[in-house]
Amino acid sequence: MSIMERALTVKKATREAFGDEIVKLGKENKNIYVIDVDIAKSCKTTNFIKQLPDQHINVGIAEQNAAGLAAGLATTGKIPFVSTYAVFGSLRMAEQIRQEICYPNLNVKIACSHGGLTPANDGGSHQAIEDMGVLRSFPNMTVIMGADYFSTRKLVEQAAKIYGPVYLRFTRDTVPIIYDENEEFTIGKAKQIKDGNDIAIIANGDTVRLALEATKQLEEEGISVKLLDMHTIKPLDRDAVVECLKIGKIITIEDHNILNGLGSAVCEVVAEEGKGMVRRIGVQDQFGQSAPYEKLLELNGITVENIVETAKKMLN
């Protein structure tokens, strides 16, 4: 069954993918450590703690200390994964990540749950909508968000194998399983879900499911869509974006502020190439509110309906 034919009815949060994959990786490589900040249950690292206690450290509610500890472990050849919420693992730790991890280019992974609007009812203070933008501006940093359970597992596995700082962003809420468990992914290489020649849609993370549904609707109306899952924000797959410019019309979709995230990264390529039109769908440069996840998406226009309407307007 192709990705476009899947019913997308089975759902799992991508934080669960991290929890499952890190246990597997930790058993295979004793240099892999998990550093928790007292929220292991939420970040799905409790199984790692039970099965690999000697490779686990809990620093308490002290994310900045976790970053420093991870940096120190990395200098001894360990591969630490700092596990916390995205809003803390990016913004609260930003100075430590820049100075202690990225500047010396250490092999530290920042693995964060509750990315984007998925914390929902926790309110705007817990919704990380600037995180990928902030961290993609740091030299040496790789920024990744998988679209579903299986893609996230594969990307976590690859993150453990490559050298250097990596930011991994996961969802709190469940999202549909899109890919087969045997699907292969490469960091820095977009996954083309469908080829087309009327309009290109580039989505990231939990918005890929919306892009899929919108693509189906557009195809039913005779509009040919090229659909990409841009799981790696940095390094961005520039070649894939340039291929989209052969179509000339691009829509980006992200559960992130439209400033400095996926949309901005794509626009940078388009501007440098000197051609093409881009419309960005994402959080509209505003803080979130305390509301159900789907309601927050609707308030920001991150919906199937808005994607379809935007595509039609661009074509007309």
Side-chain angles (χ1 to χ4, degrees):
M1 182 182 294
S2 72
I3 294 170
M4 295 300 297
E5 294 171 332
R6 290 183 189 278
L8 304 184
T9 54
V10 179
K11 296 183 177 183
K12 294 185 79 172
T14 59
R15 60 176 170 159
E16 294 181 40
F18 170 67
D20 292 341
E21 186 62 26
I22 199 65
V23 171
K24 171 180 169 288
L25 294 173
K27 288 179 177 179
E28 294 172 351
N29 185 347
K30 294 303 178 182
N31 283 324
I32 288 179
Y33 275 63
V34 166
I35 302 174
D36 271 314
V37 293
D38 244 9
I39 47 175
K41 184 177 180 181
S42 290
C43 294
K44 301 301 180 183
T45 55
T46 51
N47 283 336
F48 189 96
I49 296 169
K50 291 175 183 176
Q51 297 185 47
L52 299 162
D54 293 338
Q55 294 165 245
H56 172 263
I57 302 170
N58 181 12
V59 300
I61 306 172
E63 289 84 0
Q64 293 164 328
N65 287 347
L69 174 59
L73 284 172
T75 65
T76 69
K78 307 301 182 185
I79 307 171
F81 281 74
V82 179
S83 178
T84 183
Y85 292 165
V87 71
F88 304 137
S90 57
L91 305 180
R92 183 173 293 173
M93 288 167 50
E95 182 181 358
Q96 286 72 28
I97 292 172
R98 181 185 186 274
Q99 299 295 102
E100 300 174 20
I101 295 172
C102 288
Y103 186 50
N105 194 27
L106 295 179
N107 195 24
V108 175
K109 320 302 174 184
I110 313 296
C112 291
S113 179
H114 292 53
L117 296 171
T118 62
N121 291 325
D122 290 341
S125 63
H126 279 58
Q127 293 159 12
I129 57 172
E130 315 90 350
D131 54 325
M132 293 194 291
V134 168
L135 294 184
R136 86 175 181 97
S137 69
F138 293 171
N140 297 323
M141 178 62 80
T142 295
V143 180
I144 298 169
M145 186 178 188
D148 75 343
Y149 177 86
F150 289 120
S151 63
T152 299
R153 287 199 65 160
K154 291 293 180 70
L155 291 164
V156 170
E157 178 185 33
Q158 287 202 19
K161 292 178 178 178
I162 66 170
Y163 184 89
V166 178
Y167 179 65
L168 293 152
R169 190 196 209 218
F170 314 124
T171 63
R172 177 191 183 276
D173 280 28
T174 60
V175 290
I177 290 180
I178 296 169
Y179 297 103
D180 181 87
E181 62 182 323
N182 297 315
E183 194 82 29
E184 293 299 324
F185 293 83
T186 301
I187 290 174
K189 182 71 173 176
K191 173 67 69 174
Q192 181 171 292
I193 296 175
K194 185 187 173 300
D195 200 6
N197 51 40
D198 288 331
I199 197 160
I201 297 178
I202 304 176
N204 170 264
D206 48 312
T207 66
V208 173
R209 65 181 177 100
L210 302 174
L212 272 167
E213 293 300 323
T215 295
K216 290 176 183 177
Q217 289 191 26
L218 290 167
E219 293 278 336
E220 288 172 0
E221 297 185 38
I223 297 171
S224 177
V225 179
K226 183 184 186 74
L227 176 58
L228 299 182
D229 171 0
M230 192 68 77
H231 48 75
T232 307
I233 300 293
K234 183 187 176 185
L236 190 77
D237 189 344
R238 187 183 184 94
D239 290 342
V241 176
V242 171
E243 281 297 310
C244 291
L245 287 176
K246 293 178 180 178
I247 298 172
K249 297 178 175 65
I250 301 171
I251 298 173
T252 63
I253 314 163
E254 59 195 312
D255 182 0
H256 186 277
N257 194 333
I258 56 170
L259 302 179
N260 206 23
L262 171 65
S264 290
V266 169
C267 284
E268 289 161 13
V269 175
V270 173
E272 288 166 355
E273 290 293 320
K275 56 185 177 181
M277 178 191 303
V278 181
R279 295 290 179 267
R280 295 171 295 163
I281 293 176
V283 179
Q284 298 298 301
D285 193 24
Q286 60 189 4
F287 287 106
Q289 303 172 44
S290 182
Y293 169 53
E294 296 293 342
K295 180 64 175 178
L296 292 171
L297 293 177
E298 181 183 340
L299 288 171
N300 284 277
I302 310 172
T303 63
V304 172
E305 293 75 18
N306 190 35
I307 298 167
V308 170
E309 182 180 349
T310 301
K312 289 179 178 179
K313 286 181 177 177
M314 292 179 76
L315 290 170
N316 289 332

